[in-house]
Every structure is written in structure tokens, then in C-alpha cells.
Amino acid sequence: MELYENRFGVAAPILAAASRVAERGDHQLSTRYWVAAVQAEAHAGLGDLDATERALDSAEQVHNLSGEPHNGGWLRFDGSRLAEERGTCYLALGRPDLAERALTTALSQRLSPRRRGAVLAELAALGVERSDLDQAIHYTHAALELASRTGSGFIGRKLETVKSRLVPLITDSRASTLHQQISALDSAV
């Protein structure tokens, strides 16, 4: 965990500098809002709820841009993934109440199978975090089905997080079975 936090501690000042540079850039582009979304991840990794929410709220301002929010270059940030991002940040912060609300909102949106699978895996991880194995099983099975159908390694990597969170509950036969099902996907994808 310390290495994980250190990574975000190193990133925070770099992101602050990127934010200052983006602030001086073209105000019709989404760059500053994308930087804010990345800053939210770093703040969540450092455990700072207030800074995470400020950064996410700033990133939401991308929806106020008129016209095309990007210039056809490498950055295509339009804010469509912010509900997912909020959920992921809140899960990292140990705020299951906020995470579930954001992830459920994300799940109600039109998502690609890859993104839907990632949100389902986050909701499964949330279930494990709460020791709600019924929730974890429901969402894991849905994510496993999508991963199997699409062959998405991305969904599989998201399910790895669920698998690692299951370890403290492994004495429960349902958690053990779920762990094995995710492991079986690892070898299939």
C-alpha cells in the first residue's frame, strides 16, 4: 500500500504543474478538465476525499464547453466517463455509499461492453468491500460473462481487483468459488 500511495504522492506535484500549464492553454479544449480527472485519481490514491471531489467537480465542467471539446489530437476527453471515474475514486477512498451511487449511474448509461464490464467489476469489488457476497457474486458473474463473450483482457484485469479483495473472505465457500471462477477466466483470456 505504501508503494501505491508513494506513486500518487510523486504524481500529485506533476499533475499540479500540468494543471497550471493547461490553465494557460486554449480554453475551448478539454485539456484542463482531463487533468482534473487525473488529479482526482491521485487525490483518491492519497486518501484525500475533499481534494478528490474538488477535482472531479472541476472535471465535470467539461460539459459546459460549447462545440467540439477536443481538437482531433490524442486527447478525446468529453466527460462521458466521469460517473465511472467518480465510482472508482470513491471505491479507492473507502466510501462505498458514494461509489455505489456513481457506479450505478454509470451503469445506467450507454456503455461499450468493455466499459460495462469494468463498471460491473467495480460494483463487484464494492460488494466484496462491504462483505456483501450476494452483490459481489451478481456483478462478478455479469462481468465474467462479458469478459468471456468479448475476450476483453481489460475486464479480466478489473476482475483481478475483485479476486484480490476476496482473499480475506476466502474461508466462505462462496468467496472461494468466486475466486476460482475469476482465476479460470485468467487462464482463458
Side-chain angles (χ1 to χ4, degrees):
M1 186 64 157
E2 189 174 308
L3 177 62
Y4 186 71
E5 288 176 358
N6 186 38
R7 184 179 87 197
F8 290 113
V10 169
I14 295 168
L15 289 167
S19 179
R20 288 189 298 275
V21 169
E23 197 55 45
R24 285 181 262 161
D26 186 340
H27 284 257
Q28 293 304 308
L29 297 178
S30 62
T31 311
R32 72 185 35 74
Y33 308 112
W34 171 74
V35 170
V38 177
Q39 283 178 309
E41 287 181 51
H43 293 308
L46 292 169
D48 189 338
L49 175 63
D50 291 337
T52 300
E53 288 188 323
R54 279 192 306 276
L56 287 167
D57 290 344
S58 178
E60 289 281 353
Q61 297 304 308
V62 72
H63 298 296
N64 296 333
L65 289 178
S66 59
E68 194 67 28
H70 43 76
N71 64 2
W74 63 273
L75 180 61
R76 303 231 190 301
F77 183 77
D78 64 1
S80 63
R81 298 180 181 195
L82 282 169
E84 297 164 57
E85 190 67 33
R86 272 189 190 278
T88 299
C89 287
Y90 290 143
L91 187 58
L93 287 162
R95 292 298 308 266
D97 53 330
L98 298 173
E100 185 167 37
R101 190 175 321 130
L103 291 168
T104 302
T105 297
L107 200 57
S108 71
Q109 297 172 349
R110 182 180 208 118
L111 302 172
S112 69
R114 180 178 183 261
R115 284 178 56 200
R116 178 168 294 283
V119 172
L120 291 167
E122 293 281 359
L123 283 162
L126 179 62
V128 174
E129 185 76 20
R130 290 180 167 160
S131 298
D132 182 346
L133 285 176
D134 291 333
Q135 177 179 344
I137 291 167
H138 172 76
Y139 287 115
T140 297
H141 285 167
L144 283 167
E145 189 276 323
L146 270 175
S148 294
R149 186 164 40 93
T150 63
S152 173
F154 179 70
I155 299 171
R157 286 188 299 281
K158 285 291 200 173
L159 285 168
E160 278 297 312
T161 302
V162 177
K163 189 170 105 172
S164 66
R165 289 175 184 244
L166 282 166
V167 171
L169 305 174
I170 210 75
T171 56
D172 185 307
S173 64
R174 296 177 304 155
S176 177
T177 299
L178 203 55
H179 192 277
Q180 291 168 4
Q181 290 170 335
I182 296 169
S183 294
L185 174 70
D186 295 343
S187 60
V189 175

